[in-house]
Amino acid sequence: MLRRGSAYSAFVAALMTFALPGPAGAQDTVKIGAIYPLSGNAASAGNFSKAAIELAADIVNNAHPELKDIPLAEGQGLPGLKGAKVTVIFADNQGTPAAGQNQALRLITEEKVHALIGAYQSGITVTTSAMAERHGIPFITPESVAANLTERGFKWFFRTTPVAGDFARAYSAFIREQKAAGQKADTIAVVNENTEYGNSVASVIREVFAKDGLNITQVIPYSANTTDVQPQVLQMKEKNPDVVIFISYTSDAILYAKTMKDLNWKPSILIADNAGFNDPSFVSSSGALVEGLINRSSFAIGKPGSVSALVNAMYKKKTGHDLDDPSARAMQGFLTMAEAINRAGSTDPAKIQAALRATDLKANQVVTGYNGVKFDEKGQNILASSLITQLKSSVYIPVWPKDKAVATVQLPYKGW
Amino acid sequence: MSSILLQVIVSGLLIGAVYALFASGLTLIWGMMNVINFAHGDFVMLAMYTAFVVWTAFGGGPLASIPIAAAVLATIGVLSYFLLVRHVMRGPMIAQILGTFGLALLLRYSAFWYFGSNFRTLPDDILGPPFVFGDIRIDAPRLLAGTLGLVLTVLLHLLLTRTALGSRMLAVSEDATAAQLMGIRPERMQAIAWGLSAASAGVAGALIATFFYTSPTVGETLVIIAFVTVAFGGFGSVPGALLAGLIIGVLEALSAYWIGPVYKDVVVYTLFVLVLWTRPQGLMGKV
């Protein structure tokens, strides 16, 4: 019996040797979970972000000497982990905070990801990052801008994108400059969808504008994903504000563009806070109805041969569309995470967290137009920045501030 | 009355007529078979894509896409009946609910797979410029959708109440066994009901596509209001769906305009609960 028993244990031990991974440190792949809306109403934007992240993973995993300023682009894989490749595991948040949370839990406990990025909608980033925080997994949101995300005292949460306060100050300075140049901007309406994203951006804009002496005369919150926006447009038509700021996701953005034309009303300055208005499927379906729309962006396709132009060409080859701003920011979030993991030289969450805290990317090392990436103690990127763009023949062109402008602003807003 | 207020009411009536058309197909299936078709919104979504394909393939406007979408959807409706509904009808109520819900997900994710997640729209001026009456502007696609919505809902009602086919269908819904003894084939009538209901979803979709965006989840966005319309108007009652659709459309528009768009659902659903409280069968439903 004893002999049979020990033979059996020897057999099991032999099996286990095979089953065990190779020597410690020789990591084959690094797993990064990416939670995006791949179905549901933001699926269009989510799938463009997914394509951008896939491209970023390709830049990290394969040799791209033409992008040599971007960390990890030149060689193959992560040199800090013996050339390990990065695998992205995508999960669908279905546009709801609950589904996002479940997916985060699944990625952490079942897929055993080493880090997470996501989740497009601010309201879903709230729940998914809470799950990462509970399990001690580093989380970067490349695009969610709600102010409170970095005010929760989280230790594993980082944000590469500029936030609502940054845009609000940019809009305010822009409007005041236009006003000084003789453009009518005495009354301002803010129209926002009423989840985390819309509400928080609207309230920051109201705060900043009040301080800067800009007069918000009308605030119209509405339920996202609505069936009809005619009453909202008629409310504006009645009060006739000079400036309108929309904070909306894609489906509502399309309805606003159509309905404003149908009801024949437009303000003299129309501003869209990114999001739905930057979705390539918005621009291709409704761009002709909103000529001259003012927007914000952290990404502009630069001069031929520049890093942003090269990356854009790769993205266009992959998807048939130009790289849009939220997708470019998603890409930057992913590249930041990969760079930190490489520097950590390990997939140990605590080491990745420490590496993220020490991140110090310069302006020429990022794909977006940020001044770099460096996190404060709350996890916010203090070098994030954005510029103001204007839609001209369905392409967003940087028009402000002057040092980054490619064309001059044309106002009043033309529309259709 | 200010012209803006009048415009709000007109806009509400037009969207209400579309709600009615959307809901009448749903209420037909309920009235005929006591089955709630959770895939109805996704039928409409497929019809919207049909309109989009008709436009991109050969530049066909609503005149072409309405009959094509009706035919395509009628086929899908009849197939759904023979391949799925007929079988789950034999099971418990929960099987029927999950059966059509599964069909809804199948159609939705097939659309994701085939058409992708991008939003599509038909050209804004597909039917020419809007009609202008003084200060009131009516977008041509909405006017067409609203008017056809009204006409088709009335026609559907007449078909059910004034024709031999309608009588046979109603006989099956009252008592399938007795109808069978009278020489009516229940399965055939039920298949026709599914075909008719899906065809009306086809027309609704082709019309809605002219002024709304099309995406794989658009059915989900629109179908909730259709369920409310059906319950409000009375399960199984086509005129009820029409009345309820118009009331909901105007009520939504007015409450969004007066109180604010965030509160329109509160107003609509409060009225909904009040109506069900006093008339559980809905406005025009039978007890």
Side-chain angles (χ1 to χ4, degrees):
Chain A
M1 278 305 279
L2 189 76
R3 276 174 60 102
R4 260 177 76 184
S6 51
Y8 178 74
S9 9
F11 178 66
V12 170
L15 263 186
M16 280 177 68
T17 321
F18 282 109
L20 277 173
Q27 193 79 41
D28 299 323
T29 57
V30 172
K31 288 192 197 173
I32 298 181
I35 304 169
Y36 279 85
L38 306 179
S39 69
N41 262 282
S44 170
N47 281 297
F48 283 112
S49 293
K50 176 172 180 264
I53 291 168
E54 284 166 353
L55 177 59
D58 171 63
I59 289 173
V60 170
N61 287 336
N62 299 306
H64 289 277
E66 72 280 11
L67 301 171
K68 62 177 174 11
D69 282 346
I70 304 298
L72 307 176
E74 202 166 4
Q76 296 189 4
L78 305 180
L81 285 95
K82 302 187 172 133
K85 303 270 167 151
V86 179
T87 309
V88 192
I89 299 167
F90 286 96
D92 179 10
N93 74 25
Q94 296 167 28
T96 73
Q101 187 172 13
N102 289 337
Q103 291 299 324
L105 182 64
R106 183 180 68 82
L107 288 174
I108 295 168
T109 57
E110 284 173 36
E111 299 285 354
K112 310 246 185 289
V113 296
H114 304 114
L116 281 168
I117 69 169
Y120 193 75
Q121 299 101 323
S122 292
I124 304 179
T125 301
V126 170
T127 60
T128 48
S129 60
M131 200 48 85
E133 185 76 11
R134 193 178 307 160
H135 289 83
I137 297 289
F139 189 108
I140 286 183
T141 180
E143 66 282 286
S144 295
V145 299
N148 66 349
L149 285 170
T150 41
E151 301 299 324
R152 296 174 295 172
F154 279 18
K155 303 209 157 25
W156 300 86
F157 184 74
F158 298 86
R159 165 154 68 186
T160 45
T161 183
V163 287
D166 301 321
F167 319 139
R169 279 185 291 277
Y171 297 146
S172 165
F174 175 78
I175 293 171
R176 282 178 289 138
E177 206 170 279
Q178 298 312 315
K179 213 170 156 180
Q183 202 54 241
K184 214 165 148 19
D186 297 325
T187 50
I188 300 170
V190 175
V191 184
N192 67 280
E193 62 91 28
N194 75 336
T195 70
E196 194 75 33
Y197 161 62
N199 284 336
S200 71
V201 173
S203 79
V204 173
I205 287 177
R206 290 165 75 175
E207 223 168 83
V208 170
F209 280 27
K211 219 162 46 195
D212 292 349
L214 288 170
N215 192 16
I216 295 183
T217 47
Q218 204 175 6
V219 179
I220 307 178
Y222 69 92
S223 308
N225 211 9
T226 181
T227 51
D228 188 22
V229 300
Q230 295 181 94
Q232 286 92 302
V233 174
L234 289 169
Q235 280 180 322
M236 288 187 274
K237 188 172 183 171
E238 188 172 39
K239 295 254 172 75
N240 203 23
D242 302 325
V243 182
V244 172
I245 303 178
F246 278 118
I247 306 156
S248 304
Y249 290 125
T250 315
S251 54
D252 304 322
I254 293 174
L255 293 184
Y256 279 116
K258 276 180 167 293
T259 307
M260 285 173 81
K261 183 188 177 221
D262 293 345
L263 295 173
N264 193 31
W265 181 80
K266 58 190 166 195
S268 54
I269 302 177
L270 185 65
I271 299 177
D273 183 72
N274 202 277
F277 292 87
N278 281 63
D279 181 334
S281 70
F282 170 82
V283 177
S284 60
S285 70
S286 311
L289 304 178
V290 288
E291 176 74 10
L293 175 69
I294 302 291
N295 204 324
R296 65 160 157 102
S297 180
S298 295
F299 177 77
I301 305 159
K303 293 186 199 78
S306 65
V307 164
S308 55
L310 287 172
V311 169
N312 182 62
M314 292 161 79
Y315 187 79
K316 195 160 191 171
K317 196 173 154 202
K318 184 177 166 78
T319 64
H321 290 268
D322 280 324
L323 183 56
D324 60 286
D325 170 63
S327 302
R329 285 184 287 142
M331 202 169 175
Q332 189 54 54
F334 179 86
L335 289 171
T336 305
M337 183 65 91
E339 193 274 336
I341 295 174
N342 180 55
R343 226 167 349 92
S346 160
T347 50
D348 174 24
K351 286 190 178 144
I352 299 174
Q353 180 197 36
L356 278 169
R357 288 224 171 97
T359 297
D360 188 7
L361 295 174
K362 306 296 179 211
N364 66 332
Q365 293 180 299
V366 296
V367 173
T368 48
Y370 301 159
N371 299 320
V373 180
K374 192 171 190 161
F375 297 107
D376 66 11
E377 72 288 353
K378 289 175 177 173
Q380 174 61 37
N381 176 14
I382 50 171
L383 298 177
S385 65
S386 58
L387 38 89
I388 302 264
T389 59
Q390 185 168 32
L391 194 66
K392 298 187 177 188
S393 308
S394 294
V395 180
Y396 282 111
I397 312 275
V399 292
W400 190 92
K402 279 211 177 64
D403 57 320
K404 287 180 178 164
V406 179
T408 50
V409 185
Q410 274 162 342
L411 289 171
Y413 166 69
K414 183 166 176 291
W416 46 93
Chain B
M1 196 189 291
S2 81
S3 62
I4 295 266
L5 185 59
L6 195 58
Q7 176 87 60
V8 170
I9 293 171
V10 169
S11 304
L13 282 171
L14 289 175
I15 194 95
V18 175
Y19 291 161
L21 179 61
F22 202 118
S24 55
L26 198 58
T27 209
L28 175 69
I29 291 297
W30 174 265
M32 287 293 306
M33 303 165 71
N34 284 4
V35 170
I36 297 178
N37 179 16
F38 282 98
H40 194 71
D42 297 275
F43 280 1
V44 173
M45 176 272 295
L46 286 184
M48 293 173 77
Y49 273 112
T50 307
F52 183 77
V53 169
V54 166
W55 169 257
T56 44
F58 56 91
L63 273 185
S65 63
I66 289 171
I68 294 177
V72 169
L73 267 293
T75 314
I76 294 177
V78 172
L79 282 178
S80 305
Y81 173 74
F82 281 115
L83 297 178
L84 175 74
V85 179
R86 196 169 53 137
H87 304 289
V88 294
M89 289 262 295
R90 292 198 297 263
M93 185 72 177
I94 191 79
Q96 299 169 18
I97 291 174
L98 294 180
T100 61
F101 192 65
L103 179 63
L105 293 179
L106 172 69
L107 297 177
R108 193 174 308 161
Y109 286 94
S110 302
F112 263 117
W113 165 70
Y114 188 76
F115 294 104
S117 50
N118 286 4
F119 288 85
R120 324 264 181 168
T121 54
L122 292 172
D124 205 58
D125 50 2
I126 193 164
L127 285 171
F131 296 93
V132 182
F133 308 96
D135 291 334
I136 307 298
R137 294 172 66 88
I138 302 180
D139 183 33
R142 282 178 192 266
L143 185 62
L144 179 70
T147 330
L148 265 187
L150 280 178
V151 170
L152 285 173
T153 316
V154 171
L155 283 181
L156 195 58
H157 177 62
L158 292 179
L159 175 81
L160 288 181
T161 53
R162 299 277 191 280
T163 65
L165 175 66
S167 308
R168 283 202 287 272
M169 288 168 71
L170 287 181
V172 171
S173 89
E174 298 267 315
D175 189 336
T177 320
Q180 205 163 9
L181 292 174
M182 298 293 137
I184 302 170
R185 288 194 287 186
E187 281 210 341
R188 178 187 254 183
M189 289 302 124
Q190 290 177 335
I192 291 175
W194 270 80
L196 265 181
S197 163
S200 87
V203 177
L207 286 168
I208 295 170
T210 57
F211 63 89
F212 213 73
Y213 57 83
T214 301
S215 80
T217 50
V218 68
E220 201 183 352
T221 304
L222 293 167
V223 81
I224 297 168
I225 205 83
F227 277 118
V228 174
T229 309
V230 167
F232 195 173
F235 278 103
S237 164
V238 173
L242 178 58
L243 183 63
L246 294 176
I247 291 176
I248 290 174
V250 173
L251 199 62
E252 267 192 354
L254 282 177
S255 51
Y257 172 69
W258 274 327
I259 315 173
V262 188
Y263 305 105
K264 72 176 182 186
D265 292 338
V266 177
V267 175
V268 169
Y269 290 108
T270 304
L271 181 77
F272 175 60
V273 169
L274 284 179
V275 166
L276 292 194
W277 195 10
T278 48
R279 275 186 73 83
Q281 72 273 34
L283 289 176
M284 302 180 77
K286 283 172 273 187
V287 185

